[in-house]
Amino acid sequence: ADLVDNGLNLVVLNNLDKGSNWNDFFRESISDWDNGTPDSVILKIRRVPEDPECTPVRRTMKVCNGDYGPTDWRGVNQIILANDFIISSVAKMNDYYLEGTNRAQKLYTMCHELGHGLGLGHSDENFYNKDLGNCMDYTEKPENNMHPDESNFLVLEELYGNVNQSDFITGETVAVEEKLENNGNRQLSLANEQQLFDEYAKILMHDPIEVSDESGEFPDVKNGWRLLRRTEH
């Protein structure tokens, strides 16, 4: 598939606790990102077997929640690259900080980390200036920034082009679950896997990578994969 012309077609693995209200925020944020104007991504949800470690799966974005302890981040997205292309993304919601918080904080965090998984950087990294009204903007008032906006969708269009129509799918997929149970790192066995992913997408980088506690971006190497950007929020 030609990502420049046809948009990004991506499987998103739902590893959130069953029965948790995180699933509501996940579905709302997925719908937001999947139905943008301009429309540049098609997101397909798959429920996966419980994976407390939130292990990356090639050619997908996996979304998890858990009590990850006093990490100083409420949400984090870990992206693995090969040849400057994203091959895996993991978004984690830290219940150590987020359990018991309000809808606005959870929805903002979910939207923010999903956006990073799509390749987006931050719209702004100042918590205290005027809110931009999109979830990629740092804020002390998450109720102002719970959703993506046109500026986010325009950047996605620059990255991936446009899709003809949205293809929002929910529910369980037994074949995928069986594959993941056998080997969590195997590629998904889907008939249109190449179109769903096809090298995923080249990551958006506005600035050189640097070590920064404020932005949460720093280079790292782990298990032979290059962890280029770890975005914390």
Side-chain angles (χ1 to χ4, degrees):
D2 186 347
L3 294 175
V4 174
D5 294 331
N6 299 328
L8 172 65
N9 203 324
L10 178 66
V11 171
V12 182
L13 303 179
N14 180 357
N15 189 53
L16 299 162
D17 290 343
K18 292 183 179 180
S20 166
N21 64 1
W22 275 119
N23 290 279
D24 298 329
F25 305 128
F26 171 75
R27 291 177 183 276
E28 184 171 349
S29 291
I30 287 287
S31 181
D32 282 346
W33 286 114
D34 191 49
N35 294 286
T37 303
D39 188 2
S40 301
V41 298
I42 296 173
L43 303 177
K44 298 175 184 261
I45 299 174
R46 302 287 187 257
R47 166 64 69 175
V48 295
E50 183 177 353
D51 174 20
E53 300 301 318
C54 202
T55 308
V57 176
R58 184 177 172 83
R59 297 178 178 266
T60 72
M61 184 193 325
K62 181 181 280 189
V63 182
C64 310
N65 72 290
D67 185 343
Y68 300 110
T71 58
D72 295 328
W73 50 263
R74 290 187 291 255
V76 65
N77 192 295
Q78 296 172 314
I79 289 174
I80 299 177
L81 298 186
N83 300 320
D84 293 329
F85 283 79
I86 301 172
I87 61 169
S88 175
S89 170
V90 170
K92 297 179 180 179
M93 315 298 140
N94 192 353
D95 288 328
Y96 181 87
Y97 297 108
L98 292 168
E99 182 66 31
T101 57
N102 61 24
R103 173 181 180 274
Q105 183 64 68
K106 284 191 169 184
L107 185 58
Y108 167 70
T109 304
M110 177 65 72
C111 180
H112 188 94
E113 302 309 336
L114 291 181
H116 282 315
L118 295 175
L120 294 178
H122 297 131
S123 300
D124 180 80
E125 294 181 349
N126 186 334
F127 283 94
Y128 306 107
N129 60 358
K130 182 179 179 180
D131 290 330
L132 299 179
N134 73 76
C135 65
M136 303 312 295
D137 171 35
Y138 275 2
T139 181
E140 286 290 288
K141 297 179 179 179
E143 62 273 13
N144 294 338
N145 287 1
M146 294 189 293
H147 306 279
D149 70 4
E150 184 181 10
S151 68
N152 304 135
F153 299 130
L154 287 171
V155 176
L156 290 174
E157 183 183 36
E158 292 177 7
L159 284 172
Y160 308 123
N162 295 103
V163 297
N164 293 326
Q165 61 182 0
S166 181
D167 188 5
F168 180 59
I169 297 178
T170 62
E172 310 241 346
T173 302
V174 175
V176 173
E177 291 190 359
E178 289 177 349
K179 278 286 186 183
L180 296 177
E181 286 173 348
N182 292 333
N183 186 342
N185 290 314
R186 292 178 65 177
Q187 296 181 10
L188 294 177
S189 179
L190 299 172
N192 57 343
E193 177 190 357
Q194 193 65 28
Q195 291 183 350
L196 288 175
F197 200 90
D198 195 20
E199 295 293 343
Y200 195 154
K202 198 163 188 177
I203 188 170
L204 173 67
M205 294 297 296
H206 288 299
D207 303 306
I209 302 165
E210 60 182 6
V211 177
S212 171
D213 290 336
E214 292 182 1
S215 69
E217 298 174 6
F218 49 90
D220 191 12
V221 177
K222 182 178 181 181
N223 298 330
W225 294 101
R226 186 182 181 201
L227 189 60
L228 182 65
R229 170 179 290 190
R230 190 175 79 184
T231 48
E232 301 180 350
H233 162 63

